[in-house]
Amino acid sequence: MTLVLALLSLAAVLGFAVARPRGWPEAFAAVPAVVLLIAVGAISMHDAATEAARLLRVVAFLGAVLVLAKMCDDEGLFEAAGAAMARAGGGSRRLLRQVFVIAAVITAALSLDYATAHLANAASLLLPVSNLTNLLAFHAANVSFIKFTLLMALPWLAAIGSVYVVFLVFFRRDLSVPLDPQENESAPPTPVFAMVVVALTLIGFVIAEAVGVAPAWAALAGAAVMAIRNLARGQTSATAIVRALNLPFLVFVLALGVVVQAVMRNGVTERMAALLPSGSGLIALLGYAALAAVLANVVNNLPATLVLVPLVAPTGPAAVLAVLIGVNIGPNLTYVGSLSNLLWRSVLRRYDISASVGEYTRLGLCTVPAALVTSVLALWAGVRLLGI
C-alpha cells in the first residue's frame, strides 16, 4: 500500500511540475507529497532528512549557478552570444551550427540550464560541474576532475554531433528556407569581465576538487563577485538576485529526491538491481545507459542518478559514467525527464511561446537512441585508451 501511495505521489508531483496550473511553483505539489509519505510511513522523518541533507550540496550548487548565470545575463553575456549567432552568415544551416557550438560551450561551463532544450541535456557531459547529475556521479566514480573531463570529452562530442545530424534531417524543410535579411546593427560590447569570472570559476572548480572543497563554494564565489559588481553599477537589485535564486524550485528538487527515495525504499531498489547488467564491457555499458535513460524519463534524471549510481559504483567508473550518459541524454525523450526540461518549459511560458509535446517526443525518439549509442561507444573507447 505504501508503494502504491509513493508511486501515485511521484506521478502527481511530476505531472504538476509539467502542467504548473495557474503558474504555481513545482514545490506546491512536492512538499505536501513528502508530508503525506512521512505520515503514512512510506519513509521515516529521519530518512527523509538524510536524503534532503545528501542533496543539499547539489542544490546549493544549483542555486549559486542560477545566480551566476543571472549576473552574466545582466552583464550582457547571453545577448552577446545571441548576437554572434545572428551575425553568422551563410543561411539556416550555418546558423544552426552556431547555435550548437555556442549552446554546447555555455552548457558545459554554466551547467545544463542555460542552453536550448536538447543541448541542455546532451551537451552537459563534459565537466563534473556541467550538470547536477554529473556532480553526483563524479564522486561515485572516484576519479579526478581532469580524468573525468578526459573520459567524457569523446562522449560529449559524440552526443553533440549525433544530435546535430538528427536536427539536420528532422528540420530539413525548415533549414531549406532562406533567412530573412537582417539589418546591420552595432554588435553589443563583449562582456569581458563576465567571461573572465566564468573562466576563473571553472578554474576554481578544479582547485576546489583538489583540496576537497565542495564546488558550490567556487560557484558561490563567482556569483558573489558578479553580484557585487552589478549591484555597484546599478545593473541588478537584491530582489532580482533573490528571484534568480529560485528558492521554490530548489525546494522542489529536495522534495522530489525524498519522494523518489520513498518509492525506492518500498521494494523498487531490489527490482532495479535485478535489471542491471554485470561487468564493464561494451554491451554492459550500453545496458547501464539504456536503463538509466528509461528511469530518467519515469522519475526525472536527478532521482534516477541517486537510485542507480550507488548500485553500479562497485563495478567501477566506466559503469557510473555509462549511467551518467543515460540520465543526461535520455531526458531528451520527455518533458519530465530532467530539471532543465522543466526550467525550459517555464521560460517558454514566460515568453508566451507554445511547445508541442508531440514534436518534442518525435524529435527525442530520433536523437536519444543515436546519441546514446555513439556516446557509450565513445566512452568505451576512452576507457580503454586511458587504461581505466
Side-chain angles (χ1 to χ4, degrees):
M1 186 62 177
T2 53
L3 176 58
V4 172
L5 283 174
L7 289 170
L8 290 174
S9 297
L10 177 60
V13 169
L14 293 176
F16 188 95
V18 173
R20 288 196 62 193
R22 300 185 182 180
W24 288 341
E26 297 89 346
F28 273 38
V31 172
V34 170
V35 174
L36 171 66
L37 293 175
I38 292 174
V40 300
I43 188 170
S44 68
M45 178 71 77
H46 176 269
D47 289 342
T50 300
E51 180 60 23
R54 186 160 73 110
L55 276 175
L56 199 56
R57 285 192 310 173
V58 177
V59 171
F61 173 80
L62 172 60
V65 171
L66 286 171
V67 174
L68 175 60
K70 176 62 169 65
M71 297 303 99
C72 288
D73 189 23
D74 291 341
E75 281 278 323
L77 178 61
F78 302 126
E79 181 184 0
M85 297 178 199
R87 289 196 304 271
S92 300
R93 290 174 180 267
R94 180 175 173 79
L95 175 60
L96 182 65
R97 286 198 299 272
Q98 289 286 98
V99 170
F100 263 71
V101 171
I102 292 176
V105 172
I106 291 176
T107 293
L110 285 175
S111 189
L112 78 169
D113 305 314
Y114 305 101
T116 54
H118 276 254
L119 287 182
N121 293 313
S124 64
L125 292 170
L126 183 61
L127 304 175
V129 294
S130 298
N131 196 321
L132 303 185
T133 55
N134 293 26
L135 282 176
L136 296 170
F138 171 55
H139 295 292
N142 196 28
V143 295
S144 68
F145 193 106
I146 301 299
K147 183 64 69 67
F148 181 101
T149 304
L150 291 174
L151 283 169
M152 298 306 284
L154 287 178
W156 180 66
L157 291 172
I160 296 169
S162 299
V163 175
Y164 176 70
V165 170
V166 171
F167 268 55
L168 285 178
V169 176
F170 192 89
F171 294 108
R172 59 189 179 278
R173 292 182 180 176
D174 300 286
L175 293 172
S176 65
V177 177
L179 293 175
D180 294 331
Q182 300 293 317
E183 296 181 5
N184 291 326
E185 298 180 1
S186 58
T190 302
V192 176
F193 185 83
M195 294 172 69
V196 170
V197 170
V198 170
L200 291 176
T201 302
L202 291 175
I203 295 172
F205 290 142
V206 180
I207 297 173
E209 185 268 333
V211 298
V213 175
W217 290 107
L220 179 60
V225 169
M226 293 289 294
I228 291 170
R229 172 184 165 89
N230 289 359
L231 284 169
R233 300 178 65 182
Q235 291 178 316
T236 192
S237 64
T239 301
I241 293 173
V242 172
R243 191 179 299 119
L245 191 59
N246 203 345
L247 286 172
F249 190 77
L250 301 184
V251 172
F252 162 74
V253 174
L254 289 174
L256 178 61
V258 174
V259 171
V260 170
Q261 278 303 306
V263 172
M264 304 311 296
R265 288 172 182 272
N266 284 276
V268 176
T269 298
E270 291 77 9
R271 293 181 176 89
M272 290 301 303
L275 294 175
L276 288 170
S278 60
S280 55
L282 177 57
I283 300 302
L285 295 181
L286 287 168
Y288 294 132
L291 181 60
V294 171
L295 187 60
N297 284 290
V298 175
V299 300
N300 192 268
N301 66 340
L302 185 62
T305 306
L306 294 171
V307 170
L308 292 176
V309 163
L311 295 177
V312 304
T315 306
V320 173
L321 296 179
V323 166
L324 182 60
I325 288 174
V327 297
N328 281 7
I329 294 174
N332 279 337
L333 193 58
T334 65
Y335 280 152
V336 299
S338 73
L339 298 180
S340 68
N341 291 4
L342 299 178
L343 289 172
W344 177 71
R345 290 267 291 176
S346 299
V347 171
L348 292 181
R349 286 195 183 92
R350 190 185 312 153
Y351 291 97
D352 197 26
I353 299 173
S354 61
S356 167
V357 175
E359 184 177 47
Y360 187 94
T361 303
R362 289 194 302 273
L363 181 58
L365 286 170
C366 298
T367 60
V368 170
L372 208 64
V373 171
T374 56
S375 297
V376 172
L377 283 169
L379 172 65
W380 176 77
V383 166
R384 272 138 190 82
L385 184 65
L386 295 174
I388 294 178

